[in-house]
Amino acid sequence: MNLFADLGEFCRPNVPLGPMTWFQIGGPAEWLVEPRNEEDLAVVVHRCREAGMPLRVLGLGANVLVGDGGVRGAVVRLSAAHFQRIEIHGERVTAGAGAHLTKLVKNTASCGLAGLEVLAGIPGTVGGGVRMNCGGKYGDLASSVESVCLLSGRGGVREKTRGEMGFSYRHSEIGEDVVVSATFALKSSDAKTVQERFREIWKFKAETQPPLEDCSAGCIFKNPKDGPSAGKLIDELGLKGTREGGAEVSAIHANFVVTQRGAKASDVVRLIERVEEQVYARAGVRLQREVQIW
Ligand SMILES: Cc1cc2nc3c(=O)[nH]c(=O)nc-3n(C[C@H](O)[C@H](O)[C@H](O)COP(=O)(O)OP(=O)(O)OC[C@H]3O[C@@H](n4cnc5c(N)ncnc54)[C@H](O)[C@@H]3O)c2cc1C
């Protein structure tokens, strides 16, 4: 049975996902869904739930590795203009879940609004950023969030305050819900100062990580609660440069896996497993994955 027979305008079967992820690898989605608005999205979410069809949301795929065999069910991308809007009202900024973080960060910095510049150099969308609570040593996305609009499995949209989002390090408690938009509470400041801070953070990342254009998913592992960072642990074990097929532990930052043309998702998975085994065997630490493997 074709669940989306009447939704051909925004539901396409068998669409390759590789080009839609930062790694640029992986197989197709059984269905790629690009809703025009919340109503389209609600219909798809509701039908998937009723039929027991898996549904995933893909942002810019900057933290996702799609398996070589692709994914069963529906993959939703909030790429329509409606989901990319950015509205600035004084110190309050609302962005659709499909808005690109870098655009949002640059726009708010140029308006002299401070808070989001700490996310300089992090690729992704607002939806993926909320789900992952992206951030780094300068701060995280959650710190600027006022509220988030979520579409639940039952198809209804609900607004949650930051306190209700269960944010913690690279984590939020949204479960199966789809982020539709987020509102940020920023601080009026001097545009030049905020932009300067943005450039400093961007420069720091450019100097300490593989180039943004490389095929990767950022940090593969979360940092352990105590002790050295995941990157330091991997580096100290001499694992930089370790390879499996077309995948390699970056020589620049040991918590990044970078791939070469022709690499398979299975190469990346094998390399991740090898690093996990080595770190556990030699340092006694069980690393937790930050990358989402589909
Ligand atoms: C070069 C590079 C550098 C990076 N540096 C950092 C860094 O410094 N700090 C950091 O935290 N991360 C970093 N990352 C990882 C990545 O940028 C973040 O995790 C980012 O938030 C992912 O956003 P995305 O839109 O690409 O989400 P995706 O990678 O597409 O998805 C990530 C997760 O979010 C879910 N998701 C996406 N959109 C929605 C939505 N609308 N509703 C519900 N769930 C959704 C997906 O289902 C998936 O589980 C880096 C990645 C790269 C490639």
Side-chain angles (χ1 to χ4, degrees), residues 20-23 41 55-65 75-78 83 96-101 118-137 139-141 148-151 169-170 172 174-181 205 209-219 256 290-294:
M20 296 173 192
T21 70
W22 220 264
F23 262 131
L41 178 62
L55 178 140
R56 296 177 166 86
V57 192
L58 184 65
L60 284 191
N63 199 42
V64 165
L65 174 68
V75 172
V76 171
R77 257 180 111 220
L78 302 178
F83 293 108
H100 292 199
L101 277 177
V118 299
L119 307 180
I122 302 182
T125 60
V126 166
V130 167
R131 162 82 163 74
M132 298 306 301
N133 183 20
C134 66
K137 64 182 262 188
D140 61 18
L141 179 138
V148 176
C149 279
L150 297 153
L151 191 125
Y169 168 66
R170 298 297 94 78
S172 63
I174 66 171
E176 303 282 292
D177 290 358
V178 180
V179 178
V180 172
S181 66
K205 285 184 68 90
Q209 295 181 2
L212 208 49
E213 311 77 62
D214 279 9
C215 296
S216 81
C219 287
F256 277 58
E290 182 172 320
V291 63
Q292 312 283 304
I293 301 181
W294 288 4

Side-chain angles (χ1 to χ4, degrees), residues 23-291:
F23 262 131
Q24 297 277 306
I25 47 180
E30 186 180 353
W31 285 98
L32 182 75
V33 178
E34 295 182 283
R36 296 159 296 189
N37 48 41
E38 278 90 356
E39 289 74 39
D40 288 351
L41 178 62
V43 170
V44 169
V45 169
H46 183 71
R47 283 194 198 176
C48 285
R49 190 186 162 94
E50 292 284 295
M53 181 186 265
L55 178 140
R56 296 177 166 86
V57 192
L58 184 65
L60 284 191
N63 199 42
V64 165
L65 174 68
V66 176
D68 296 315
V71 290
R72 209 171 65 74
V75 172
V76 171
R77 257 180 111 220
L78 302 178
S79 51
H82 173 75
F83 293 108
Q84 298 218 20
R85 69 197 188 283
I86 295 174
E87 293 158 0
I88 302 182
H89 301 289
E91 295 183 319
R92 184 169 286 139
V93 177
T94 298
H100 292 199
L101 277 177
T102 299
K103 184 176 176 194
L104 173 68
V105 171
K106 281 185 175 169
N107 278 8
T108 51
S110 67
C111 292
L113 292 170
L116 292 173
E117 72 284 356
V118 299
L119 307 180
I122 302 182
T125 60
V126 166
V130 167
R131 162 82 163 74
M132 298 306 301
N133 183 20
C134 66
K137 64 182 262 188
Y138 297 97
D140 61 18
L141 179 138
S143 309
S144 295
V145 165
E146 183 176 271
S147 61
V148 176
C149 279
L150 297 153
L151 191 125
S152 79
R154 281 176 220 92
V157 175
R158 190 188 152 198
E159 187 165 341
K160 283 194 177 177
T161 62
R162 175 172 49 164
E164 293 172 309
M165 288 292 294
F167 283 124
S168 58
Y169 168 66
R170 298 297 94 78
H171 179 78
S172 63
E173 293 283 342
I174 66 171
E176 303 282 292
D177 290 358
V178 180
V179 178
V180 172
S181 66
T183 296
F184 302 95
L186 305 179
K187 283 206 176 63
S188 277
S189 179
D190 168 53
K192 276 206 176 113
T193 313
V194 187
Q195 285 173 314
E196 185 51 39
R197 180 93 176 122
F198 170 86
R199 277 191 291 271
E200 261 171 45
I201 297 171
W202 188 285
K203 186 162 171 274
F204 169 80
K205 285 184 68 90
E207 285 169 357
T208 54
Q209 295 181 2
L212 208 49
E213 311 77 62
D214 279 9
C215 296
S216 81
C219 287
I220 294 291
F221 302 105
K222 295 184 180 186
N223 288 323
K225 276 204 183 79
D226 309 305
S229 67
K232 193 155 194 286
L233 277 169
I234 300 166
D235 192 4
E236 282 175 356
L237 295 177
L239 295 173
K240 273 183 174 170
T242 305
R243 297 185 67 131
E244 285 286 346
E248 179 179 337
V249 176
S250 164
I252 302 171
H253 191 310
N255 200 3
F256 277 58
V257 166
V258 289
T259 55
Q260 290 172 347
R261 195 183 285 267
K264 298 262 176 249
S266 55
D267 296 338
V268 179
V269 172
R270 277 203 317 281
L271 185 58
I272 291 174
E273 288 170 353
R274 193 163 149 195
V275 170
E276 286 170 343
E277 281 159 20
Q278 288 283 313
V279 171
Y280 183 58
R282 294 162 63 194
V285 177
R286 280 209 194 277
L287 291 174
Q288 303 295 314
R289 293 177 190 175
E290 182 172 320
V291 63

